[in-house]
Amino acid sequence: FWRHSENTIVLYECRSGGAGWTPCVGGRDAGDDGNGYCASGYEGPVCEVCLDTNAYFEKSSARCVDCGSVASSVAVLVVIAIVLVVLIVAVVKLVASSWKPRNALAARTLVFARRQRLVWRQLGVMSKLKQLIGLYQVIAAIPTVFNVSLPDESYTAWINALSWPNFLDSIFLPTECYGGGYFALLISTTLWPIVLIFVMFFASVAWECACKAFKQRQQSSWREGAVLGIARALPSALFLSFLCIISASTRVFKTFLCDAFVFDDGS
């Protein structure tokens, strides 16, 4: 257990890992803000803050884990995001085009994809999918917006899966490893969809200009390619913003949720 000072009888349960490990060692000396109750290398509320600036607190093991190379992880994340955006835009445009490949297997695959695209439009699946995603994202935001506790671990895992965009920025490293404090974390986790939308626009414009130059065998107007490329990517950009708006606003709401720890209750 951990408490904020020696002048309070309010105790807070600490996390525990394997083999009975816990960052809270207890004792008589509270130290500064209860840091005297923490194991070496730990501090802060319930001893979940790492003294090592290049480490993060892993809740599952209740230990501080080294972040490793942050620069290489960020570079890999950016490259993968750009490649994925380019591939998605290329596949969408390929399915929407009238191009016919010579390979029989590729031709059948492309025909199947175009049929599915036609069925998707005829049944109005997009509007139904948006309603379903909106419902589940609202459910995922309930614990944060209304400051309620989740009943059990399985329900917590389900809620976390529904609010997936919040965790895309920690695929390679937890967000605590990127530095800059909470403000930088808030900015990065709420603005990454906008950055991705701009990347989508850029990729679509570049693709459109390259296609026009290849077909016409001459340099075409970049303005015409830019307008057409942006128009092509706009539906995907709107869909991405729809996917992320609930999770981004949930992150903003979390800024105003603070836990108060009793320091001196007159005991």
Side-chain angles (χ1 to χ4, degrees):
F1 292 87
W2 176 90
R3 60 178 180 171
H4 200 181
S5 73
E6 299 174 355
N7 300 321
T8 177
I9 59 174
V10 180
L11 301 178
Y12 303 92
E13 185 177 2
C14 298
R15 296 183 186 273
S16 59
W21 159 260
T22 176
C24 302
V25 296
R28 295 183 177 181
D29 184 14
D32 295 332
D33 293 328
N35 293 334
Y37 299 130
C38 301
S40 177
Y42 298 83
E43 65 177 0
V46 289
C47 305
E48 293 187 3
V49 178
C50 302
L51 286 175
D52 186 359
T53 56
N54 195 43
Y56 69 96
F57 186 82
E58 187 179 58
K59 294 181 179 180
S60 58
S61 63
R63 293 181 181 272
C64 288
V65 180
D66 184 65
C67 290
S69 177
V70 177
S72 59
S73 299
V74 172
V76 171
L77 181 61
V78 171
V79 170
I80 290 179
I82 294 175
V83 171
L84 285 177
V85 169
V86 171
L87 287 177
I88 291 174
V89 172
V91 169
V92 170
K93 289 187 66 64
L94 181 62
V95 173
S97 68
S98 58
W99 178 70
K100 296 180 180 180
R102 296 181 179 179
N103 183 272
L105 179 60
R108 288 196 298 268
T109 303
L110 194 56
V111 169
F112 176 78
R114 286 168 178 167
R115 287 177 179 174
Q116 297 305 313
R117 177 171 174 265
L118 182 61
V119 171
W120 179 282
R121 287 187 172 184
Q122 290 178 343
L123 296 180
V125 178
M126 180 61 74
S127 59
K128 299 177 177 63
L129 181 62
K130 287 182 177 180
Q131 293 176 5
L132 185 63
I133 293 174
L135 170 64
Y136 284 116
Q137 286 198 327
V138 169
I139 294 175
I142 288 177
T144 299
V145 175
F146 296 99
N147 194 20
V148 296
S149 301
L150 301 178
D152 53 44
E153 294 184 359
S154 58
Y155 186 76
T156 303
W158 181 64
I159 288 294
N160 290 337
L162 294 179
S163 54
W164 61 270
N166 278 342
F167 302 95
L168 288 182
D169 53 354
S170 58
I171 293 176
F172 298 97
L173 284 177
T175 50
E176 293 83 358
C177 290
Y178 295 111
Y182 185 80
F183 180 74
L185 173 63
L186 177 65
I187 294 298
S188 63
T189 53
T190 52
L191 294 185
W192 73 261
I194 298 178
V195 176
L196 186 55
I197 287 174
F198 277 106
V199 173
M200 291 173 59
F201 283 148
F202 176 80
S204 180
V205 169
W207 177 274
E208 201 64 43
C209 292
C211 289
K212 281 186 172 295
F214 178 77
K215 291 179 180 179
Q216 298 177 2
R217 301 294 181 179
Q218 59 183 359
Q219 187 176 4
S220 58
S221 172
W222 66 269
R223 292 183 179 180
E224 181 182 354
V227 171
L228 188 56
I230 292 176
R232 298 274 189 183
L234 188 58
S236 300
L238 292 176
F239 185 68
L240 177 63
S241 63
F242 175 80
L243 286 177
C244 300
I245 188 171
I246 298 295
S247 296
S249 36
T250 300
R251 171 71 72 177
V252 174
F253 273 112
K254 286 183 178 180
T255 307
F256 304 97
L257 293 179
C258 301
D259 291 327
F261 294 94
V262 178
F263 182 81
D264 186 355
D265 54 1
S267 60

Coordinates of all heavy atoms in Angstrom, one line a residue, residues 58-104:
E58 N 5.2 -0.1 -16.7 CA 4.4 -1.1 -17.4 C 3.4 -1.6 -16.3 O 3.8 -2.3 -15.3 CB 5.3 -2.2 -17.9 CG 4.5 -3.3 -18.7 CD 5.4 -4.3 -19.2 OE1 6.1 -5.0 -18.4 OE2 5.5 -4.5 -20.5
K59 N 2.1 -1.4 -16.5 CA 1.1 -1.7 -15.5 C 1.0 -3.2 -15.3 O 0.7 -3.6 -14.2 CB -0.2 -1.1 -15.9 CG -0.2 0.4 -15.9 CD -1.6 1.0 -16.3 CE -1.6 2.5 -16.3 NZ -2.9 3.1 -16.6
S60 N 1.2 -4.0 -16.3 CA 1.0 -5.4 -16.2 C 2.0 -6.1 -15.3 O 1.7 -7.0 -14.5 CB 1.0 -6.1 -17.6 OG 2.2 -5.9 -18.2
S61 N 3.3 -5.6 -15.4 CA 4.3 -6.2 -14.5 C 4.6 -5.3 -13.3 O 5.4 -5.7 -12.5 CB 5.6 -6.4 -15.4 OG 6.1 -5.1 -15.8
A62 N 4.1 -4.1 -13.3 CA 4.3 -3.1 -12.2 C 5.8 -2.8 -12.1 O 6.3 -2.6 -11.0 CB 3.8 -3.7 -10.9
R63 N 6.5 -2.7 -13.2 CA 7.9 -2.4 -13.3 C 8.2 -1.3 -14.3 O 7.4 -1.1 -15.2 CB 8.7 -3.6 -13.6 CG 8.7 -4.7 -12.5 CD 9.6 -5.9 -12.9 NE 9.6 -6.9 -12.0 CZ 10.4 -7.0 -10.9 NH1 11.4 -6.0 -10.8 NH2 10.4 -8.0 -10.1
C64 N 9.3 -0.6 -14.1 CA 9.8 0.3 -15.1 C 10.6 -0.4 -16.2 O 11.5 -1.2 -15.9 CB 10.7 1.4 -14.4 SG 9.8 2.6 -13.4
V65 N 10.2 -0.1 -17.4 CA 10.8 -0.8 -18.6 C 11.5 0.2 -19.4 O 11.0 1.3 -19.7 CB 9.7 -1.6 -19.4 CG1 10.4 -2.3 -20.6 CG2 9.0 -2.5 -18.5
D66 N 12.7 -0.1 -19.9 CA 13.5 0.8 -20.7 C 12.8 1.1 -22.0 O 12.3 0.2 -22.7 CB 14.9 0.2 -21.0 CG 15.8 1.2 -21.7 OD1 16.1 2.2 -21.2 OD2 16.1 0.9 -22.9
C67 N 12.8 2.3 -22.5 CA 12.1 2.7 -23.7 C 12.9 2.3 -25.0 O 12.4 2.2 -26.0 CB 11.9 4.2 -23.7 SG 10.7 4.8 -22.6
G68 N 14.2 2.2 -24.8 CA 15.0 1.9 -26.0 C 15.3 3.1 -26.9 O 15.2 4.3 -26.4
S69 N 15.4 2.9 -28.2 CA 15.7 4.0 -29.1 C 14.3 4.6 -29.5 O 13.6 4.0 -30.3 CB 16.5 3.5 -30.3 OG 16.6 4.6 -31.2
V70 N 14.1 5.8 -29.1 CA 12.8 6.5 -29.4 C 12.8 7.0 -30.9 O 11.9 6.9 -31.6 CB 12.6 7.7 -28.5 CG1 11.3 8.4 -28.9 CG2 12.4 7.2 -27.0
A71 N 14.0 7.5 -31.3 CA 14.1 8.0 -32.7 C 13.8 7.0 -33.7 O 13.1 7.2 -34.7 CB 15.5 8.6 -32.9
S72 N 14.4 5.8 -33.5 CA 14.2 4.7 -34.5 C 12.7 4.2 -34.5 O 12.2 4.0 -35.6 CB 15.1 3.5 -34.2 OG 14.9 3.0 -32.9
S73 N 12.1 4.2 -33.4 CA 10.7 3.8 -33.3 C 9.8 4.8 -34.0 O 8.9 4.4 -34.7 CB 10.3 3.6 -31.8 OG 11.1 2.6 -31.2
V74 N 10.1 6.1 -33.8 CA 9.3 7.1 -34.4 C 9.5 7.0 -35.9 O 8.5 7.1 -36.7 CB 9.7 8.5 -33.9 CG1 9.0 9.6 -34.7 CG2 9.3 8.6 -32.4
A75 N 10.7 6.8 -36.4 CA 11.0 6.7 -37.8 C 10.2 5.6 -38.5 O 9.6 5.7 -39.5 CB 12.5 6.6 -38.1
V76 N 10.3 4.4 -37.8 CA 9.6 3.2 -38.3 C 8.1 3.5 -38.4 O 7.4 3.1 -39.3 CB 9.9 2.0 -37.4 CG1 9.0 0.8 -37.8 CG2 11.3 1.6 -37.6
L77 N 7.5 4.1 -37.3 CA 6.1 4.4 -37.3 C 5.7 5.3 -38.4 O 4.7 5.1 -39.1 CB 5.7 5.0 -35.9 CG 4.2 5.3 -35.7 CD1 3.4 4.1 -35.8 CD2 4.0 6.0 -34.4
V78 N 6.5 6.4 -38.7 CA 6.1 7.3 -39.7 C 6.2 6.6 -41.1 O 5.3 6.8 -42.0 CB 7.1 8.5 -39.7 CG1 6.9 9.4 -40.9 CG2 6.8 9.3 -38.4
V79 N 7.3 5.9 -41.3 CA 7.4 5.2 -42.6 C 6.3 4.2 -42.9 O 5.7 4.2 -44.0 CB 8.8 4.4 -42.7 CG1 8.9 3.5 -43.9 CG2 9.9 5.5 -42.7
I80 N 5.9 3.4 -41.9 CA 4.8 2.5 -42.0 C 3.5 3.2 -42.3 O 2.7 2.7 -43.1 CB 4.7 1.6 -40.8 CG1 5.9 0.6 -40.7 CG2 3.4 0.8 -40.8 CD1 5.9 -0.3 -39.5
A81 N 3.3 4.3 -41.6 CA 2.0 5.1 -41.8 C 2.0 5.6 -43.3 O 0.9 5.5 -43.9 CB 1.9 6.2 -40.8
I82 N 3.1 6.1 -43.8 CA 3.1 6.6 -45.1 C 2.9 5.5 -46.1 O 2.1 5.7 -47.1 CB 4.4 7.4 -45.4 CG1 4.5 8.6 -44.5 CG2 4.5 7.8 -46.9 CD1 5.8 9.4 -44.6
V83 N 3.5 4.4 -45.9 CA 3.4 3.3 -46.9 C 2.0 2.8 -46.9 O 1.4 2.5 -47.9 CB 4.4 2.1 -46.5 CG1 4.1 0.9 -47.3 CG2 5.8 2.6 -46.7
L84 N 1.4 2.6 -45.7 CA 0.0 2.2 -45.6 C -1.0 3.1 -46.3 O -1.9 2.6 -47.1 CB -0.4 2.0 -44.2 CG 0.1 0.8 -43.4 CD1 -0.3 0.8 -42.0 CD2 -0.3 -0.5 -44.1
V85 N -0.8 4.4 -46.1 CA -1.7 5.4 -46.8 C -1.5 5.3 -48.3 O -2.5 5.3 -49.0 CB -1.3 6.8 -46.3 CG1 -2.0 7.8 -47.2 CG2 -1.8 7.0 -44.9
V86 N -0.3 5.2 -48.8 CA -0.1 5.1 -50.2 C -0.7 3.8 -50.8 O -1.3 3.8 -51.8 CB 1.4 5.2 -50.5 CG1 1.7 4.8 -52.0 CG2 2.0 6.5 -50.2
L87 N -0.5 2.7 -50.1 CA -1.1 1.4 -50.6 C -2.6 1.5 -50.6 O -3.3 1.0 -51.5 CB -0.6 0.3 -49.7 CG 0.8 -0.1 -49.8 CD1 1.2 -1.2 -48.8 CD2 1.1 -0.6 -51.2
I88 N -3.2 2.0 -49.5 CA -4.7 2.1 -49.5 C -5.2 3.0 -50.6 O -6.2 2.6 -51.3 CB -5.1 2.7 -48.1 CG1 -4.8 1.6 -47.0 CG2 -6.6 3.0 -48.1 CD1 -5.1 2.1 -45.6
V89 N -4.6 4.1 -50.8 CA -5.1 5.0 -51.9 C -4.9 4.3 -53.2 O -5.8 4.4 -54.1 CB -4.3 6.3 -51.8 CG1 -4.6 7.2 -53.1 CG2 -4.6 7.1 -50.6
A90 N -3.8 3.6 -53.4 CA -3.5 3.0 -54.7 C -4.5 1.8 -55.0 O -5.0 1.7 -56.1 CB -2.1 2.4 -54.7
V91 N -4.8 1.1 -53.9 CA -5.8 0.0 -54.1 C -7.2 0.5 -54.4 O -7.9 0.0 -55.3 CB -5.8 -0.9 -52.8 CG1 -7.0 -1.9 -52.9 CG2 -4.5 -1.7 -52.7
V92 N -7.6 1.5 -53.7 CA -8.9 2.1 -53.9 C -9.0 2.6 -55.4 O -10.0 2.4 -56.0 CB -9.2 3.2 -52.9 CG1 -10.5 4.0 -53.3 CG2 -9.3 2.6 -51.5
K93 N -8.0 3.3 -55.8 CA -8.1 3.9 -57.2 C -8.0 2.8 -58.2 O -8.6 2.9 -59.3 CB -6.9 4.9 -57.4 CG -7.1 6.2 -56.6 CD -6.0 7.2 -56.9 CE -6.1 7.6 -58.4 NZ -7.4 8.3 -58.6
L94 N -7.3 1.7 -57.9 CA -7.2 0.6 -58.9 C -8.5 -0.1 -59.0 O -8.9 -0.4 -60.1 CB -6.1 -0.4 -58.4 CG -5.9 -1.6 -59.3 CD1 -5.4 -1.2 -60.6 CD2 -4.9 -2.6 -58.6
V95 N -9.2 -0.3 -57.9 CA -10.5 -1.0 -58.0 C -11.5 -0.1 -58.7 O -12.4 -0.6 -59.4 CB -11.0 -1.3 -56.5 CG1 -12.4 -1.8 -56.6 CG2 -10.1 -2.3 -55.9
A96 N -11.4 1.2 -58.5 CA -12.4 2.2 -59.1 C -12.1 2.4 -60.6 O -12.9 2.9 -61.3 CB -12.4 3.5 -58.4
S97 N -10.9 2.0 -61.1 CA -10.5 2.2 -62.5 C -11.1 1.1 -63.4 O -11.7 0.2 -62.9 CB -9.0 2.3 -62.6 OG -8.4 1.0 -62.3
S98 N -10.9 1.3 -64.7 CA -11.3 0.3 -65.6 C -10.2 -0.5 -66.2 O -10.3 -1.2 -67.2 CB -12.0 1.0 -66.8 OG -11.1 2.0 -67.4
W99 N -9.0 -0.5 -65.5 CA -7.9 -1.3 -66.0 C -8.1 -2.7 -65.8 O -8.7 -3.2 -64.9 CB -6.6 -0.8 -65.1 CG -5.4 -1.6 -65.5 CD1 -4.7 -1.5 -66.7 CD2 -4.7 -2.6 -64.7 NE1 -3.6 -2.3 -66.6 CE2 -3.6 -3.0 -65.4 CE3 -5.0 -3.1 -63.4 CZ2 -2.7 -4.0 -64.9 CZ3 -4.1 -4.0 -62.9 CH2 -3.0 -4.5 -63.7
K100 N -7.6 -3.5 -66.8 CA -7.8 -5.0 -66.9 C -6.4 -5.6 -66.9 O -5.7 -5.5 -67.9 CB -8.6 -5.4 -68.1 CG -10.1 -4.9 -68.0 CD -10.8 -5.4 -69.2 CE -12.3 -4.8 -69.2 NZ -13.0 -5.3 -70.4
P101 N -6.0 -6.3 -65.9 CA -4.7 -7.0 -65.9 C -4.7 -8.2 -66.8 O -5.7 -8.8 -67.1 CB -4.5 -7.4 -64.4 CG -5.9 -7.5 -63.9 CD -6.7 -6.5 -64.6
R102 N -3.5 -8.5 -67.3 CA -3.4 -9.7 -68.2 C -3.4 -11.0 -67.5 O -3.8 -12.0 -68.0 CB -2.1 -9.5 -69.1 CG -2.1 -8.3 -70.0 CD -0.8 -8.2 -70.8 NE -0.8 -7.1 -71.7 CZ 0.2 -6.8 -72.5 NH1 1.3 -7.6 -72.5 NH2 0.1 -5.7 -73.3
N103 N -2.9 -11.0 -66.3 CA -2.8 -12.2 -65.5 C -4.2 -12.6 -65.1 O -5.0 -11.8 -64.6 CB -2.0 -12.0 -64.2 CG -1.9 -13.2 -63.4 OD1 -2.7 -13.5 -62.5 ND2 -0.8 -14.0 -63.6
A104 N -4.6 -13.9 -65.3 CA -5.9 -14.4 -65.0 C -6.3 -14.3 -63.5 O -7.4 -13.9 -63.2 CB -6.0 -15.8 -65.5

